[in-house]
Amino acid sequence: SITKERTEVVLQGTSSLDPNDPAAVWEEYDFKCKPGDLKRRPCFISPYHYRLDWLMWFAAFQTYEQNEWIIHLAGKLLAQEEEALSLMATNPFAGRVPP
């Protein structure tokens, strides 16, 4: 154990025309191995790990200014770039209008 609490970075998008609308529905991008859904079986691929999922853990300890790559990743997800989406376990906007 490294810390007693685990802070998480969560990437979400919405199809709402007004993201500030309290009724806007936000949907989460799931990662392949990053902890998330408590009902999902843990990812185990020793001795390897998914680099992006691992970096997300460390990004939670810092600001986005110290992890500019998160802004670039979010932009690629918004643009529905296949290379970025291939790093995700799920795309909540698959077959729909991009967020």
Side-chain angles (χ1 to χ4, degrees):
S1 174
I2 296 175
T3 59
K4 294 188 185 288
E5 293 181 4
R6 184 173 177 121
T7 307
E8 293 285 332
V9 174
V10 177
L11 298 180
Q12 298 176 325
T14 183
S15 293
S16 174
L17 295 177
D18 180 8
N20 295 318
D21 182 357
V25 176
W26 288 87
E27 300 177 68
E28 184 175 338
Y29 287 89
D30 289 324
F31 288 77
K32 294 179 180 179
C33 286
K34 180 178 160 287
D37 182 3
L38 297 175
K39 296 179 182 177
R40 184 180 71 193
R41 191 173 117 205
C43 179
F44 185 74
I45 46 175
S46 181
Y48 306 103
H49 58 269
Y50 283 84
R51 180 95 174 148
L52 177 61
D53 300 46
W54 183 72
L55 286 173
M56 292 294 286
W57 178 51
F58 288 103
F61 293 120
Q62 301 170 329
T63 66
Y64 72 89
E65 292 96 351
Q66 294 169 302
N67 294 279
E68 291 182 8
W69 59 268
I70 293 177
I71 303 300
H72 297 286
L73 174 61
K76 290 177 182 293
L77 293 174
L78 287 171
Q80 297 280 7
E81 288 190 17
E82 287 301 319
E83 294 83 9
L85 289 170
S86 71
L87 300 171
M88 302 290 126
T90 60
N91 173 9
F93 301 97
R96 298 179 11 209
V97 177

